[in-house]
Amino acid sequence: MKSIYGLTLEDMENYFVEHGSKKFHAGQLFSWLYEKRIKSYDEITNIKKEVLSSLEKDYSIKSLQIVDVQEDVDVCKYLFELYDGEHIEAVLMRHDYGNSVCISSQVGCNMGCKFCESGRRRKVRNLETYEMVLQLLMIEETLGERISHVVVMGIGEPFDNYDNLLNFFSIINHPKGLAIGARHITVSTCGLVPKILEFSEFPLQINLAISLHAPNNKLRDKIMPINKAYPLEELIKAIKHYLKKTNRRITFEYILLKDVNDSPECALELVQLVKGINCYINLIPYNETNNIDFKRTNTIQIMRFYDILKKNNINVTIRKEFGSKISAACGQLRSKKEDL
Ligand code: SAH
């Protein structure tokens, strides 16, 4: 059965009109779901009973199940069980500027990045829009606080689940939905070029982050198989197109992997690669996982890499680390649960 949390406002408007009712009920229903946070259709008082009972037949109002929670200072990780018994994760990070949640977009992932725990399990299926929306709703409910920022950087490749992702954005951004500002939402992709081009046309001003992780094709081919399909020249070209269309800035994520991509030469090559692009680079200390051999670059070398970028006038930050104690790296909690 479909879920009511997968419907955009427009979908609901169409539903009401198709059922001989009024369009404006869509706004009312949104506010019952996302402002009043009802748990049952019975709580709705301003929509006719017949319409509600057909709604109830067509769309479930059920939540997901949270089956595990792991807490550390400033970070909390939630394991969700889906209707088909699959598991996905979301991570809450408490920043000084608000609560940020990292959500998953697929069960498993087909991108096969060598350093990533999630990719050890092939994609089983895309998450439905409602499964993305409910990750946020349920964390807000458990926490008793609002989520101010959302990043789509959990399990999965969001641009490989493009249509559901855009519906998700439209629901959480809507003033009557979760009302999370587009500029507070970030989506990260490993570089699906056709989708980056398509995303240039998307009207909401959502932040785009690119998982770069290597400054040349030879190295990127080795750690990110997607690079064989869309090599750096094509990726950079798509990014330039996106920047021209949207007038925005792009983020490059760069995980530092010991003795793989963390040399001063790599830093200089990276400078050349992003020269002239309106971007900033987010250096990510690698979160080591038991199942994969990559090691984390030590702090002194991270600083050295950072300095080289800085001296070359690149906007660069080092990502604040959350949750290495609670297996917060992408896919780690699910792996533990399912003993993979
Ligand atoms: N598929 C998307 C989004 C999910 S991964 C993408 O590739 O961007 C989110 C980010 O976490 C990516 O930059 C990914 O490369 C990074 N990541 C994966 N495993 C990690 C680990 N063990 N430590 C640090 N970052 C990791």
Side-chain angles (χ1 to χ4, degrees):
M1 188 183 188
K2 291 186 178 145
S3 163
I4 194 70
Y5 297 104
L7 267 57
T8 64
L9 191 81
E10 292 68 36
D11 294 336
M12 282 184 196
E13 286 176 350
N14 292 338
Y15 183 91
F16 284 115
V17 171
E18 277 161 23
H19 288 76
S21 189
K22 295 281 188 282
K23 216 174 166 175
F24 67 79
H25 286 322
Q28 294 173 327
L29 182 53
F30 244 49
S31 116
W32 285 105
L33 295 173
Y34 299 110
E35 285 165 17
K36 306 191 185 73
R37 305 286 168 101
I38 55 165
K39 292 274 175 253
S40 144
Y41 288 116
D42 298 340
E43 297 175 55
I44 299 179
T45 52
N46 53 4
I47 300 175
K48 279 208 195 96
K49 284 277 175 270
E50 309 86 82
V51 184
L52 284 180
S53 62
S54 83
L55 203 58
E56 188 160 18
K57 261 190 246 129
D58 293 334
Y59 295 101
S60 151
I61 194 171
K62 271 210 335 240
S63 304
L64 303 177
Q65 247 183 298
I66 296 182
V67 290
D68 192 9
V69 180
Q70 306 231 350
E71 272 194 88
D72 198 347
V73 190
D74 293 341
V75 59
C76 195
K77 182 145 177 163
Y78 302 84
L79 189 71
F80 291 90
E81 187 161 305
L82 309 176
Y83 69 87
D84 53 358
E86 294 292 349
H87 294 103
I88 49 147
E89 315 161 351
V91 182
L92 162 80
M93 290 156 287
R94 293 173 181 278
H95 293 275
D96 44 11
Y97 55 77
N99 291 322
S100 169
V101 168
C102 172
I103 69 143
S104 294
S105 57
Q106 297 178 320
V107 178
C109 181
N110 274 349
M111 299 302 127
C113 299
K114 297 285 187 279
F115 46 80
C116 179
E117 181 78 23
S118 309
R120 295 202 313 125
R121 188 176 183 211
R122 303 286 292 171
K123 177 170 97 175
V124 176
R125 65 175 176 88
N126 282 330
L127 290 194
E128 300 293 337
T129 299
Y130 82 88
E131 291 171 317
M132 294 189 257
V133 173
L134 280 174
Q135 291 174 58
L136 299 182
L137 275 184
M138 295 193 60
I139 291 178
E140 282 198 344
E141 187 183 311
T142 315
L143 202 63
E145 286 173 36
R146 291 304 308 265
I147 292 166
S148 57
H149 291 70
V150 174
V151 297
V152 190
M153 293 190 187
I155 300 172
E157 167 50 50
F159 277 2
D160 184 34
N161 185 11
Y162 194 71
D163 296 342
N164 290 341
L165 180 78
L166 296 199
N167 284 336
F168 164 72
F169 287 151
S170 142
I171 295 169
I172 66 166
N173 173 252
H174 199 282
K176 286 196 165 98
L178 287 176
I180 298 172
R183 285 160 183 270
H184 287 190
I185 304 172
T186 302
V187 57
S188 174
T189 178
C190 63
L192 300 188
V193 163
K195 295 300 169 193
I196 296 172
L197 297 174
E198 239 181 290
F199 198 59
S200 313
E201 311 295 331
F202 189 57
L204 300 181
Q205 301 216 310
I206 287 168
N207 304 305
L208 180 59
I210 307 283
S211 293
L212 192 62
H213 307 329
N216 60 57
N217 282 324
K218 193 162 165 242
L219 190 52
R220 201 162 187 264
D221 277 350
K222 274 195 201 144
I223 56 176
M224 298 179 71
I226 191 68
N227 198 63
K228 296 194 180 117
Y230 305 111
L232 282 173
E233 307 76 61
E234 281 183 43
L235 179 61
I236 297 291
K237 206 166 131 204
I239 289 167
K240 286 186 172 158
H241 174 85
Y242 168 87
L243 293 176
K244 203 160 133 207
K245 280 272 173 187
T246 59
N247 241 328
R248 313 217 58 219
R249 184 154 82 159
I250 202 150
T251 302
F252 288 113
E253 295 157 276
Y254 194 101
I255 303 179
L256 287 160
L257 303 163
K258 187 172 159 51
D259 299 333
V260 175
N261 65 356
D262 61 350
S263 67
E265 294 73 37
C266 281
L268 287 169
E269 222 176 332
L270 183 57
V271 169
Q272 291 309 315
L273 184 70
V274 304
K275 221 177 189 172
I277 295 177
N278 186 14
C279 69
Y280 83 87
I281 296 185
N282 202 199
L283 296 178
I284 308 175
Y286 183 58
N287 209 334
E288 287 180 9
T289 103
N290 288 337
N291 308 308
I292 300 174
D293 272 345
F294 289 99
K295 292 281 171 260
R296 168 204 171 89
T297 299
N298 69 40
T299 310
I300 291 174
Q301 266 163 314
I302 293 180
M303 286 315 296
R304 188 181 63 178
F305 200 94
Y306 172 90
D307 283 342
I308 295 174
L309 297 184
K310 201 80 190 165
K311 280 202 192 94
N312 283 279
N313 299 318
I314 306 286
N315 301 308
V316 55
T317 50
I318 299 175
R319 179 172 292 172
K320 176 171 187 260
E321 279 189 90
F322 284 99
S324 36
K325 280 203 210 86
I326 59 161
S327 350
C330 190
Q332 287 180 338
L333 191 59
R334 185 199 59 80
S335 290
K336 268 193 191 161
K337 169 91 186 167
E338 294 175 2
D339 225 6
L340 290 168

